[in-house]
Amino acid sequence: MKEKTKNMKNKIQKHINVIRKNPKKALITFLNWCGEVVKYNLLFFIFLISTLFNTVLLRFFTIHTVENVLFFKPLLADLAVILIVGAFSFLIKEKRRFRYLLISSILLNLICIINSCYYTFYTSFSSISLLATSKYVVAVGDAVVENVLKIQDLVYIWAPIALLYTRFYLKKRGKLNLSEKRDCRKFVSTVLVSLIPITLFLATLTPLEIGRFTKQWNREYIVMNFGIYTYHLNDLVKSIEPQITSLFGYDEAVKKFKEYYEGIEEEQTWKNKYTKIFEGKNILAIHAESMQNFLIGLSFNGEEVTPNLNKLAKNSLYFSNFYAQVSVGTSSDSEFTLNTSLMPTSNGTAFVSYFNREYVSIPKLLKDKGYYTFAMHANNRSYWNRDVMHKSLGYDKLYAKDNYEIDEVIGLGLSDKSFFSQSMEYLKEIKEQNTPFYGTLIMLTNHTPFSELEKYGEFDVDLKEEIVNSTGKREIVSYPYMEGTKLGNYFKSVHYADAALGELLNALEKEGFMEDTVIILYGDHDARLPKDDYRRFYNYDKQTNDTLPSDDVNYKKIDTYEYDMLRKVPFMIYSKETKKTYHKEIQDVMGMIDIMPTLGNMFGFYNKYQLGHDIFDIGQNNTVIFPNGNWVTNKVFYNAGKGAYLPLKNEEISSEYVSERNQYADSVLNVSNSLIVYDLIKKERMQKEGKEDFVEERAIDK
């Protein structure tokens, strides 16, 4: 047996050497092999070609550009995987071989269907680690069907159908072999042939591509360069990594962790004019579901979309270049990043996959200062694992669906107006305790699919214009504009959510909360709106009821960069002090990760492990990093997948500027992920307490 294994290894190495020395000859060999397969193994050939073609379709329907579709690297990688999977069919008796190929075709193409659906909503590719969060998708089933599942997502089923038809064709012509024979020689030859695309693929890889592959932050980049099947094989390894952290990577993670935090003080070292201006005051954080920043100041026919937010922005510290920094955990990622100043994890979500880690959080730090901490959300308390994770973050209580009367339902649950009205009764009880509080109110109504138009109230998103008709009389003409589009429906939903917010703010003023309470309002993430709707919104031509041609001087291009910048969300800090004295617009770029240090400076708490910055300390030098490796500064928006950037100002950007921020983004993402996955805050605490058996205790905890 050992001798056979040794001979096989030698044979494989020999083939690899031949391929490296003469790739042209290797390619001819591969084409000749394909000819033999077509002639003698038509079912295998159909399996191979149809599955490979679907990987090309997937890149076309998701990443879109022709250069990505025709890019040979992912084609080689996917081809190699399909060949190896198909090769095992020759180890099965011939009469059962078709069953294996059909099942393999269904499974491989199901991967394409799932990723096609997932990309529609998240602009990213799915992950095996997300199986733990699949139950949360079920809870928003209507949104999935209406916004995610498209006709194009079902096109991939042609592959197994083609395989079934081929078998029917061969059987009808009496060319279907149903013997009991296995063909080990074909298995070996197919595996050896798979070395051709593998070797050619590996020969083209650069150190940068390999580095990004191992980190797997930017899934689109990996699929674009490594293919969908190689991506998922790597994703499988990354997904089980949290379960076997003690086996690999731990020492390197600790090293980077210590290097990053070396020299960082245990206490805050900076001061500015906002230092401790709100110390001891209540904090009420409003988690504004899917609220985007471009809504501020927007109106249709003279009617504001968000009149209450507009008013709030004028009386607040209003951060107009604020980004949410979420990954697949969406709302839960925002809660996590805001409260810990850490990034979302590269695999899974902190709320579901890493709820049992030790975090330094806003609720915990405020509890140390005598605060009562709570959250209110009229959804199931188990959704996004909040009932467990909120305890890990230090919340004293979670008021959830079972604490509310579900008397008015819009979309996913209790309407925002009813939610705020009922929450006010709890808030008044909390206020009577005469204890400072930190509370989070999580809105729900403004959640995709934005389809319950009759419940949002009247708000026209058409375009009205007064004209003089042929008889000389004035009349109002209406153009459809955004009516009937998802973006138009979003405006209607937002208008309702804004009205609910206005009712809450009025109630807080009436009940005397604003004498000693600071309102923190943030959009949790963007609404995942279609690019085509934005194009219509910014380029509407009322004469044709369509968009302007792209070569028109007034045409606004909505490319990847512009789309990402449109995903900005609002962030406001409002109190009687900001209303009177401090109100202003801050235009420096800021992320969710910067909220904790910014508030910490204002309220007098500090977290050594925070990865963000006090925006009033770092100012224009801030860099906002995204979980996929993209980043933005006041000067540049960098796209890690493209390896390119868009200058935001008329000044030259040096390669050193980009390189430094790439290194910084890499460092922050590495440290944050390591800190969470390996529970390094707990490790450091236990070391300080003289407990050296941290690894063993962590294993027992799991």
Side-chain angles (χ1 to χ4, degrees), residues 564-605:
D564 282 342
M565 287 186 286
L566 280 168
R567 296 168 75 172
K568 284 185 286 193
V569 297
F571 175 48
M572 303 174 192
I573 301 174
Y574 171 73
S575 70
K576 67 177 184 181
E577 290 85 3
T578 66
K579 185 176 181 181
K580 182 179 180 181
T581 307
Y582 293 110
H583 58 86
K584 70 172 183 177
E585 179 181 348
I586 298 92
Q587 296 183 347
D588 293 319
V589 296
M590 183 180 180
M592 195 71 72
I593 202 171
D594 300 312
I595 288 183
M596 184 183 200
T598 302
L599 294 184
N601 178 59
M602 293 175 164
F603 287 88
F605 61 83

Side-chain angles (χ1 to χ4, degrees), residues 535 538-539 547-558:
R535 293 187 182 104
Y538 285 107
N539 301 293
T547 57
L548 294 167
S550 58
D551 58 355
D552 190 286
V553 67
N554 296 314
Y555 183 83
K556 180 181 174 71
K557 186 179 180 181
I558 307 296

Side-chain angles (χ1 to χ4, degrees), residues 303-561:
E303 187 176 1
E304 295 174 306
V305 178
T306 57
N308 294 293
L309 273 180
N310 296 346
K311 182 180 177 182
L312 197 65
K314 292 175 183 176
N315 292 286
S316 300
L317 287 166
Y318 164 46
F319 305 84
S320 57
N321 273 307
F322 182 80
Y323 294 86
Q325 297 177 281
V326 299
S327 184
V328 296
T330 56
S331 295
S332 70
D333 283 344
S334 280
E335 288 184 71
F336 176 74
T337 300
L338 183 152
N339 279 304
T340 64
S341 193
L342 299 174
M343 294 294 292
T345 52
S346 61
N347 289 90
T349 66
F351 266 49
V352 176
S353 304
Y354 304 98
F355 62 88
N356 58 348
R357 303 306 196 251
E358 184 169 311
Y359 302 105
V360 178
S361 65
I362 292 178
K364 287 180 180 178
L365 293 171
L366 288 174
K367 283 172 72 172
D368 290 342
K369 296 173 73 69
Y371 278 66
Y372 173 66
T373 61
F374 62 90
M376 297 178 176
H377 185 36
N379 204 342
N380 297 322
R381 60 178 63 249
S382 61
Y383 193 75
W384 280 123
N385 204 33
R386 282 191 176 100
D387 55 339
V388 176
M389 187 60 179
H390 275 208
K391 292 177 183 176
S392 294
L393 292 176
Y395 284 105
D396 290 313
K397 184 169 183 176
L398 170 61
Y399 296 81
K401 184 177 181 179
D402 52 340
N403 298 113
Y404 290 84
E405 180 187 352
I406 311 302
D407 54 1
E408 182 185 37
V409 174
I410 300 180
L412 298 186
L414 184 65
S415 71
D416 284 344
K417 289 185 178 181
S418 181
F419 167 62
F420 284 145
S421 175
Q422 295 184 56
S423 295
M424 275 303 303
E425 298 306 311
Y426 291 122
L427 289 173
K428 284 188 281 187
E429 292 176 7
I430 293 168
K431 185 172 181 286
E432 289 174 0
Q433 298 173 8
N434 292 317
T435 300
F437 62 78
Y438 169 63
T440 302
L441 271 64
I442 303 174
M443 299 173 70
L444 184 61
T445 300
N446 192 44
H447 191 290
T448 189
F450 318 117
S451 58
E452 301 199 30
L453 306 184
E454 70 284 355
K455 296 183 180 180
Y456 298 146
E458 289 297 321
F459 184 75
D460 292 333
V461 291
D462 57 5
L463 178 64
K464 292 182 170 63
E465 184 178 63
E466 187 178 62
I467 65 168
V468 178
N469 63 25
S470 57
T471 64
K473 292 183 178 181
R474 293 185 176 276
E475 65 176 349
I476 302 295
V477 177
S478 180
Y479 304 94
Y481 195 16
M482 300 310 299
E483 287 289 353
T485 65
K486 184 179 178 182
L487 179 54
N489 294 345
Y490 173 67
F491 291 141
K492 295 173 186 284
S493 174
V494 165
H495 189 68
Y496 169 88
D498 179 82
L501 182 63
E503 291 181 6
L504 172 67
L505 295 174
N506 289 337
L508 290 171
E509 289 280 2
K510 181 181 177 182
E511 296 296 335
F513 278 85
M514 296 315 301
E515 285 302 309
D516 55 1
T517 299
V518 179
I519 300 290
I520 310 298
L521 184 141
Y522 62 93
D524 64 337
H525 55 75
D526 71 292
R528 304 296 199 273
L529 300 163
K531 284 184 183 177
D532 285 343
D533 281 8
Y534 280 121
R535 293 187 182 104
R536 181 177 177 87
F537 176 65
Y538 285 107
N539 301 293
Y540 183 63
D541 184 352
K542 63 184 180 183
Q543 304 301 329
T544 63
N545 188 32
D546 204 344
T547 57
L548 294 167
S550 58
D551 58 355
D552 190 286
V553 67
N554 296 314
Y555 183 83
K556 180 181 174 71
K557 186 179 180 181
I558 307 296
D559 57 11
T560 301
Y561 296 106

Side-chain angles (χ1 to χ4, degrees), residues 60-71:
F60 175 74
F61 286 137
T62 54
I63 308 172
H64 293 304
T65 60
V66 174
E67 61 178 319
N68 290 331
V69 171
L70 301 178
F71 196 32

